[in-house]
Amino acid sequence: MRRFLFSVLVGMVVWLATGQQRVQAQATTKTNTQQDLPVPKGISNLLFYVQRDPNTNTIVYELNLDSKGNLNQEEPIRIYWMRYADGGHRQDLNFIQRKFAYGLHVKKINPEKYELKFVCYDKRTLYLMKGADGRFHVYTTIGKKQSILSRVFVRIEGGTFWVPNVVYAEFTGQEAAARKEIIERFKP
């Protein structure tokens, strides 16, 4: 019994020391293969998130504010995993994930506008900027309309670690003007 309690205590200390926090996912969304994917909840500065099959782990792009609530101009977006398949904790991206897959190239245009491009796909430009509501959002063109990005889904079938076979990517958001949902699927 003591050994069991000690193991539990050590596990809790390791968990606390790594700064991992459980994050809720109350709702799910289905892919076209009927796979349920969690929708991140409880993230106050969530900009958008990326999901891909074949698993439920999610990459979160969150507005990076300092302790006074001001935008961190050196690193305006914090990117991390939500490891739903491993109990729902946060985990930083590793070097390879940051530099070759899920990271962003960020170019400051002015203190309230940044150009963003995925490191793995630079043909779509995103912009972090303030909206009419005074809050920062990520804007891009979805279905030929200026939109606020909320989700990216990438359908992968086979391939290799370095060159996955991407069947399609799907951008979901809200039209900036009409505020109605818009979805565009394309082959990268």
Side-chain angles (χ1 to χ4, degrees):
M1 183 68 172
R2 279 185 166 168
R3 183 176 274 168
F4 172 75
L5 290 174
F6 180 73
S7 297
V8 171
L9 181 60
V10 169
M12 289 176 63
V13 169
V14 169
W15 178 74
L16 290 171
T18 58
Q20 296 173 345
Q21 300 172 326
R22 292 203 179 277
V23 181
Q24 298 177 348
Q26 298 169 350
T28 62
T29 186
K30 284 200 184 295
T31 67
N32 68 338
T33 60
Q34 298 306 308
Q35 178 185 10
D36 281 321
L37 294 175
V39 176
K41 297 289 181 198
I43 302 171
S44 59
N45 294 309
L46 177 68
L47 293 168
F48 67 97
Y49 58 98
V50 173
Q51 295 178 313
R52 77 278 179 274
D53 50 10
N55 69 49
T56 60
N57 294 329
T58 300
I59 302 97
V60 170
Y61 296 77
E62 180 181 18
L63 192 64
N64 190 10
L65 303 176
D66 64 20
S67 60
K68 295 179 183 175
N70 299 316
L71 183 65
N72 179 331
Q73 294 189 19
E74 299 300 315
E75 188 180 341
I77 299 179
R78 179 180 301 128
I79 307 168
Y80 56 88
W81 284 101
M82 302 255 299
R83 305 295 294 193
Y84 292 117
D86 301 326
H89 67 271
R90 294 181 186 196
Q91 181 179 329
D92 289 337
L93 299 179
N94 66 34
F95 177 82
I96 291 172
Q97 293 163 345
R98 246 186 355 267
K99 298 297 182 184
F100 298 103
Y102 306 113
L104 294 172
H105 291 294
V106 179
K107 179 181 171 186
K108 182 178 176 181
I109 296 171
N110 65 51
E112 294 188 351
K113 186 174 183 181
Y114 297 79
E115 181 184 273
L116 314 169
K117 291 186 179 184
F118 286 104
V119 296
C120 63
Y121 187 74
D122 65 359
K123 293 183 173 100
R124 286 277 180 130
T125 303
L126 313 173
Y127 293 95
L128 173 66
M129 58 188 188
K130 283 194 174 180
D133 61 1
R135 298 183 65 207
F136 280 98
H137 301 280
V138 172
Y139 291 84
T140 192
T141 302
I142 302 175
K144 298 183 182 177
K145 297 184 185 236
Q146 183 69 10
S147 303
I148 298 171
L149 183 64
S150 60
R151 178 180 184 250
V152 176
F153 176 74
V154 181
R155 175 79 172 118
I156 299 170
E157 286 182 359
T160 66
F161 174 79
W162 289 106
V163 186
N165 179 30
V166 177
V167 178
Y168 64 84
E170 184 176 273
F171 280 24
T172 303
Q174 283 188 333
E175 290 181 34
R179 292 293 191 172
K180 62 182 187 178
E181 185 178 64
I182 187 165
I183 300 171
E184 179 186 1
R185 185 178 289 183
F186 61 96
K187 172 76 174 154

